[in-house]
Amino acid sequence: MNIVQALNNAMDIKMAEDNDVVVLGEDVGKDGGVFRVTDGLLAKYGPERVIDTPLTELGIVGMAIGMAVNGLKPIPEIQFQDFIYTAMDQIINQMAKIRYRSGGDYTVPLVLRTPVGGGIKGGLYHSQSGETYFAHTAGLTVVSPSNPYDAKGLLISSIESPDPVIFLEPKRLYRSQKADVPEDKYTVPLRKANLLREGNSVTLVTYGSMVPTVLSTVDKNGIDADVVDLRTIAPLDKDTIISSVKKTGRVVIVHEAPRTLGVGAEVSAMISERAIEYLYAPILRITGPDTPFPYRLEDYYLPNEQRIMAAIKKVMEYR
């Protein structure tokens, strides 16, 4: 399966298992979604459970929150994460806070899915990576898979979560990543990072779209590295990161989103607070620059092997 097929399979399994699971969004029904992630679900489960909505992101999220509070398990889709900002009031002031505002009397068990990031020549309004806005909001779990197996298992875990999950799908990995994925139901735990490679010289912390780039860089150049795929951006799996840092003493963080106040900044601060005495070199970040996403310079904007290797070399040679 590729990631599109894995996500579709996850929703199919949960919709067959639980009549309270519903899908809603722009073109998710007849057209199967802008990237065809919901393809076939309308024919199988009908228009009362696969709902085409008007072009109103604020309305989609608000309706999904109302559904969730009243016992359903909605999976709203926003066509591009860039469009989600018109719904931020519903996300930050309602979705994230209803459990706390009601003292636990009401919860919001929904999964807000949206494609994220660049790599498909979408330009500055279809390529942004805004995970830090959501990670900064208490009450939200923020997930970003990097491969088909994790995509299916993480989405099922998210649907079964009693609280809201922001599910960020790297659009450039949708069909470029393929793997053997079990047809049957399984879960991948939320809030747990994955140690993809084990080494002793340096720790590479990454997630989402950058995971294949980091893995190919490490493998191609024979780097003796731990590669940590966060999988859940918020809350962080601090134990896995710190355990690796205590072993290697050198850290490079790689993500596509802009540098300032990004996830890399939080990971770096957390390591500094908990394991600074184990570090042999400054922590380095390889990220997108602090500019709007450039259409013509997409390949320059996105972290690549050359930039990652320069950072690895710098921390390895630091004295």
Side-chain angles (χ1 to χ4, degrees):
M1 291 185 190
N2 59 34
I3 287 181
V4 167
Q5 294 165 329
L7 294 169
N8 182 281
N9 184 233
M11 286 186 281
D12 189 12
I13 287 173
K14 289 304 298 179
M15 293 184 79
E17 180 183 281
D18 186 346
N19 288 331
D20 288 336
V21 178
V22 299
V23 171
L24 67 155
E26 299 160 2
D27 298 326
V28 299
K30 185 176 180 180
D31 288 343
V34 66
F35 289 99
R36 305 297 180 261
V37 178
T38 56
D39 189 36
L41 298 179
L42 174 64
K44 198 166 185 178
Y45 298 103
E48 292 189 353
R49 296 183 64 196
V50 182
I51 305 165
D52 277 321
T53 68
L55 301 178
T56 168
E57 285 74 19
L58 179 68
I60 293 167
V61 176
M63 184 160 55
I65 293 171
M67 289 175 167
V69 169
N70 285 283
L72 296 178
K73 298 174 182 174
I75 310 173
E77 176 185 297
I78 302 298
Q79 287 192 337
F80 290 86
Q81 186 247 270
D82 312 66
F83 306 162
I84 212 168
Y85 300 128
T86 62
M88 289 300 271
D89 178 60
Q90 288 291 326
I91 294 170
I92 293 174
N93 288 324
Q94 304 301 330
M95 183 193 300
K97 293 180 173 60
I98 285 178
R99 171 184 283 279
Y100 302 90
R101 178 185 177 187
S102 68
D105 289 341
Y106 296 96
T107 61
V108 184
L110 70 77
V111 183
L112 179 52
R113 295 184 37 253
T114 189
V116 67
I120 63 165
K121 303 296 183 185
L124 70 171
Y125 296 120
H126 295 76
S127 305
Q128 297 175 77
S129 297
E131 58 265 34
T132 193
Y133 298 115
F134 310 111
H136 187 67
T137 302
L140 300 177
T141 297
V142 184
V143 174
S144 190
S146 66
N147 61 75
Y149 183 90
D150 282 359
K152 177 178 175 178
L154 287 168
L155 183 55
I156 291 176
S157 294
S158 299
I159 297 169
E160 294 179 347
S161 170
D163 292 302
V165 176
I166 305 293
F167 202 89
L168 303 175
E169 301 164 3
K171 63 174 78 72
R172 72 167 163 150
L173 304 186
Y174 266 152
R175 290 179 172 81
S176 65
Q177 298 297 302
K178 296 182 179 180
D180 291 332
V181 176
E183 292 281 352
D184 295 336
K185 177 182 175 181
Y186 66 89
T187 60
V188 171
L190 303 178
R191 306 174 181 84
K192 182 64 179 174
N194 191 18
L195 185 59
L196 294 172
R197 294 284 190 280
E198 292 192 53
N200 296 297
S201 299
V202 60
T203 297
L204 294 165
V205 180
T206 187
Y207 57 90
S209 67
M210 282 295 104
V211 172
T213 303
V214 170
L215 287 177
S216 67
T217 299
V218 167
D219 293 342
K220 180 179 176 182
N221 293 279
I223 304 300
D224 181 32
D226 269 3
V227 177
V228 178
D229 178 0
L230 294 178
R231 298 198 292 201
T232 298
I233 296 169
L236 287 172
D237 177 3
K238 300 181 179 68
D239 291 343
T240 295
I241 298 170
I242 293 300
S243 176
S244 176
V245 171
K246 287 182 176 179
K247 180 177 64 172
T248 68
R250 298 177 175 87
V251 184
V252 175
I253 303 163
V254 183
H255 61 64
E256 178 179 332
R259 171 183 298 253
T260 298
L261 295 177
V263 173
E266 178 60 28
V267 172
S268 178
M270 186 274 292
I271 293 170
S272 297
E273 290 168 350
R274 294 172 178 245
I276 195 168
E277 67 270 29
Y278 292 89
L279 294 176
Y280 302 131
I283 300 167
L284 296 186
R285 292 172 288 162
I286 302 300
T287 71
D290 291 331
T291 67
F293 196 97
Y295 175 73
R296 293 184 180 275
L297 299 174
E298 183 174 81
D299 292 339
Y300 181 79
Y301 182 96
L302 297 170
N304 56 25
E305 177 187 338
Q306 184 180 19
R307 291 172 60 195
I308 295 168
M309 279 306 301
I312 291 173
K313 184 178 180 182
K314 189 170 183 178
V315 298
M316 295 294 290
E317 294 178 349
Y318 184 85
R319 294 292 183 271

